[in-house]
Amino acid sequence: MYLAIREMRFAKGRYALIATIMVLVSFLVLFVTGLAQGLSYDNAASIKNMAATHFVLEQDSNHRFTRSQVGQEELDEARAVVGQGNAEPIGVRMTTVSPADDTKKIDVTLFMVNPGSWLAPTVTEGKAINDQSAGQVVVDQKLAKSGVKIGTVLVDQASGTEWTVSGFVQNESFSHAPVVFLNEQEWLTLQAGSRTMQAASAIGGADTGTGTSTSVEADTATGTSNEKNATNAEAVVGTGTFSGTERAPVYNAIAVKGTDDQVSGLSAALPKKEIITKSDAVSAIPGYKEEQGSLLMMIAFLYVISAFVLAVFFYVITIQKTSQFGILKAIGTRNGYLAGSVSLQVLLLSVGSLVISVLLVRLFESVLPTSMPFQLGISTLALTCALFILMSMAGSLFSVWKVTKIDALDAIGRTAA
């Protein structure tokens, strides 16, 4: 230790340069790691926040909520296996909404959860909705940046349904879109409204395509046109998933809290459905794996680059000090002592650079805009620092190997020459 610290004090400029490079590399590693964690959470916050352990989905849905449909029968079966209070339905739908008094369009994700269940988020501002709340929703706080306030009326662009914002929740997003929570009554109304609009569109397209506008005008005169269109609309809607709230509800998934034995029993009870874990559901969110894969590859390359940079610097320094190492060996210094001296220098530089980098990252985090997804928790920070130190020590092994291979007589001979 004495030799390592004495040498670093003597060659301040040389080691300060190495430390600066390590600070920059470690800061970049920590920053990209925080960005990756932030994007991961922002992409799937609503799923990650759920207390569910597994989800029941339709087969061949590729683990995606938006491709799945499950009904009341599956919900009853799940509750019979895992317990009445441990299975809750979920509805998921991507859509675009606009404030009633504005032309601005906002991409959101609609989540249907029972307000009194363990899936319901905690309302941080305003009031929560209940099973009987008609035309009311709670929304993620991110919508406030788009001018949405408590009492704002949101209009669904797809169905024309209107909801009044009654409260805000924090950190609820899906596929990077803020989440709008509604109850089952509003979910069924929304589905019925969508089917009605599809039916009306289909009837209008059929009338236009078959050239029956003249007959419709004639029927209008006799008062039979409306009856004919209403009958056709009912026929079309009746063939869909919903024809109103009288039909059995259809959801996208069933959230389950259960043990491994209960999940095994659930798989046996629902052989035509697939049971997935929460991590599977998160990974199946569109773009999640691709986004995280790119960032993780960048982080991995940064680790490798830091190890190579450190290895090159210390290898060059070791070559420059070959004669000094030879003299030390000639007077009886052991290889283990010299190797420990090199390793200690790397360790001190790594730890010192990480301390500075952590302070810089926390400083940057405090000034970053809230819209930027950045998260660097204590566990992630500790793991990242440990990996960085490990890679740094790995990079020093080449220099350690070089030190052990130095021949004392050969090194002294070169000095004399």
Side-chain angles (χ1 to χ4, degrees), residues 14 52 113 149 158 162 170 180 203 207 237 286 352 417:
R14 176 188 299 172
V113 298
K149 300 178 291 185
E162 296 184 356
Q170 289 280 3
V180 174
I203 293 170
D207 289 343
V237 172

Side-chain angles (χ1 to χ4, degrees), residues 42-101:
D42 186 70
N43 203 351
S46 292
I47 303 299
K48 291 184 176 183
N49 291 341
M50 291 180 180
T53 59
H54 295 79
F55 296 94
V56 180
L57 299 178
E58 185 180 5
Q59 273 188 342
D60 301 325
S61 61
N62 292 332
H63 298 178
R64 294 190 179 183
F65 290 169
T66 52
R67 295 180 180 178
S68 169
Q69 284 191 343
V70 294
Q72 186 65 40
E73 182 179 350
E74 288 80 10
L75 178 60
D76 294 339
E77 190 69 39
R79 285 175 171 172
V81 174
V82 300
Q84 186 70 21
N86 292 328
E88 289 292 335
I90 301 175
V92 181
R93 180 174 179 178
M94 310 291 291
T95 189
T96 302
V97 298
S98 294
D101 56 349

